[in-house]
Amino acid sequence: TTAQPPTKKQQTGAKQPEVSPPSTPNPNGTGKGKTELTTVLSAANKIKLKHLATITAADTLLQAIKSDAKWKWANNEFTCNPLASALADLRHTETDFDRAFLTQEIKTIKKKYPNDRFMEELARYHSSFPKSIDKADGEIKQLAGMQ
């Protein structure tokens, strides 16, 4: 085949429709292809980034409240408890898989879980954490907005 000149849409930068690659059968015979795994993993990774960023921001803010004179006004139970509670809820709901997913490489985790179970855990992680993350993130933003 020969290369075709770019179309007018391609030249103007108009968004081209995305074409999904064909699904590759899973070698373990589960029927779930690489495309599905890639989709689930990508969605879970987005939550993971927000999860880690929220935990870090909450820990940093709580530490600043305890040690920085600028935050002295917030160093009391009434002000800190909502954030501390949201952070505790976020950490309390983490399973062994979740902690591994947050701290280890994917290839290491995949060795510990059969493919179907790995997919289930990723899907569960993706669906169970956004509300807890958003709650903690909301508390961070509220406190930061009061500063």
Side-chain angles (χ1 to χ4, degrees):
T1 62
T2 59
Q4 299 292 324
T7 65
K8 286 193 182 217
K9 282 186 181 181
Q10 289 169 332
Q11 290 174 349
T12 61
K15 188 173 181 179
Q16 297 295 312
E18 292 183 22
V19 179
S20 299
S23 180
T24 305
N26 190 317
N28 292 342
T30 62
K32 295 181 180 177
K34 286 184 181 179
T35 301
E36 184 177 359
L37 174 60
T38 302
T39 301
V40 172
L41 186 56
S42 176
N45 275 327
K46 288 177 185 176
I47 298 299
K48 174 183 176 177
L49 292 174
K50 190 171 182 183
H51 189 162
L52 291 171
T54 299
I55 288 173
T56 301
D59 283 338
T60 301
L61 181 55
L62 288 171
Q63 185 59 39
I65 289 170
K66 290 178 185 175
S67 63
D68 190 338
K70 293 181 202 173
W71 286 96
K72 184 177 180 180
W73 65 268
N75 194 5
N76 60 71
E77 282 187 31
F78 179 76
T79 306
C80 288
N81 273 353
L83 176 57
S85 176
L87 184 58
D89 288 347
L90 185 57
R91 288 185 168 141
H92 178 70
T93 55
E94 291 173 357
T95 65
D96 289 340
F97 177 85
D98 301 332
R99 283 185 285 280
F101 184 62
L102 291 170
T103 61
Q104 298 176 17
E105 291 187 31
I106 295 299
K107 64 183 177 183
T108 303
I109 302 167
K110 285 177 83 172
K111 290 177 185 176
K112 298 177 185 176
Y113 293 87
N115 283 347
D116 282 350
R117 174 85 189 279
F118 182 71
M119 290 280 289
E120 289 169 11
E121 290 291 338
L122 284 174
R124 182 203 45 79
Y125 175 82
H126 177 262
S127 66
S128 62
F129 277 94
K131 288 181 184 176
S132 299
I133 293 168
D134 288 344
K135 181 179 177 186
D137 195 44
E139 294 296 337
I140 293 166
K141 288 177 181 171
Q142 182 175 357
L143 275 173
M146 295 168 70
Q147 177 61 353

